[in-house]
Amino acid sequence: MTSLSLPEAADQARQRLGTILFTVTVLTPDGGEISRVYSTHPEAYAIGGRKRTDPSQTSPIWAEQVIAGQEPFLGADREAVRSFFFDWETIESLGCGAIVNTPVVHEGRTIGSINFLGPEGSLDDDSVAVALEITHASTPAVAEVRAQVFPEVAQ
């Protein structure tokens, strides 16, 4: 797969995985927050929206797996989504009950995540493989937008 822009990645996610919501988040330079830089539903998940990476807003298990461990996360059902995401009510209001989060790794460092959400039961291990493929192809675009939002990381 060739390099994808973020809109192209969202289209691929919709076509290949049936996602309802597709967002891209990047870590702030100090790693203390996650900032949303792309969203297919900006009315619910606005670009520029942030959440802290501490346990008040981000599951430590999720952070260890995705950010530190550079491994994808699969929450195949509502129970998993409710267990790991403080904003599960908003997620469910969009018709989503399953999620795949993939780390965006650039030059060996996690710089963010791409978040694929669909109906409960619609995402599985095969979906994770497709999500990783889409993520890999869109990593240059994520790195570029992160450098635009946080110019200090481009130096």
Side-chain angles (χ1 to χ4, degrees), residues 62-82:
W62 183 93
E64 180 63 30
Q65 183 172 331
V66 177
I67 296 172
Q70 299 181 339
E71 294 293 330
F73 172 84
L74 169 62
D77 56 32
R78 282 191 186 144
E79 184 177 325
V81 172
R82 288 178 177 184

Side-chain angles (χ1 to χ4, degrees), residues 48-63:
R50 291 189 179 192
K51 67 179 181 178
R52 292 189 301 278
T53 55
D54 66 45
S56 71
Q57 294 185 345
T58 302
S59 161
I61 296 168
W62 183 93

Side-chain angles (χ1 to χ4, degrees), residues 6-140:
L6 299 183
E8 290 168 337
D11 286 343
Q12 285 286 313
R14 188 173 29 262
Q15 291 171 18
R16 297 177 67 195
L17 298 172
T19 59
I20 295 171
L21 173 64
F22 175 92
T23 65
V24 178
T25 57
V26 297
L27 289 166
T28 57
D30 67 2
E33 291 183 303
I34 300 167
S35 179
R36 193 173 310 101
V37 295
Y38 186 87
S39 175
T40 57
H41 285 72
E43 69 288 347
Y45 286 98
I47 293 171
R50 291 189 179 192
K51 67 179 181 178
R52 292 189 301 278
T53 55
D54 66 45
S56 71
Q57 294 185 345
T58 302
S59 161
I61 296 168
W62 183 93
E64 180 63 30
Q65 183 172 331
V66 177
I67 296 172
Q70 299 181 339
E71 294 293 330
F73 172 84
L74 169 62
D77 56 32
R78 282 191 186 144
E79 184 177 325
V81 172
R82 288 178 177 184
S83 295
F84 285 91
F85 300 97
F86 78 98
D87 56 340
W88 62 267
E89 290 176 340
T90 305
I91 291 169
E92 288 185 11
S93 76
L94 296 173
C96 300
I99 188 168
V100 172
N101 305 113
T102 55
V104 179
V105 180
H106 181 68
E107 297 178 351
R109 294 183 24 227
T110 305
I111 62 168
S113 71
I114 298 185
N115 313 295
F116 304 80
L117 294 91
E120 183 171 29
S122 67
L123 301 172
D124 57 20
D125 290 332
D126 291 337
S127 305
V128 172
V130 172
L132 286 168
E133 184 181 319
I134 293 168
T135 299
H136 180 70
S138 57
T139 293

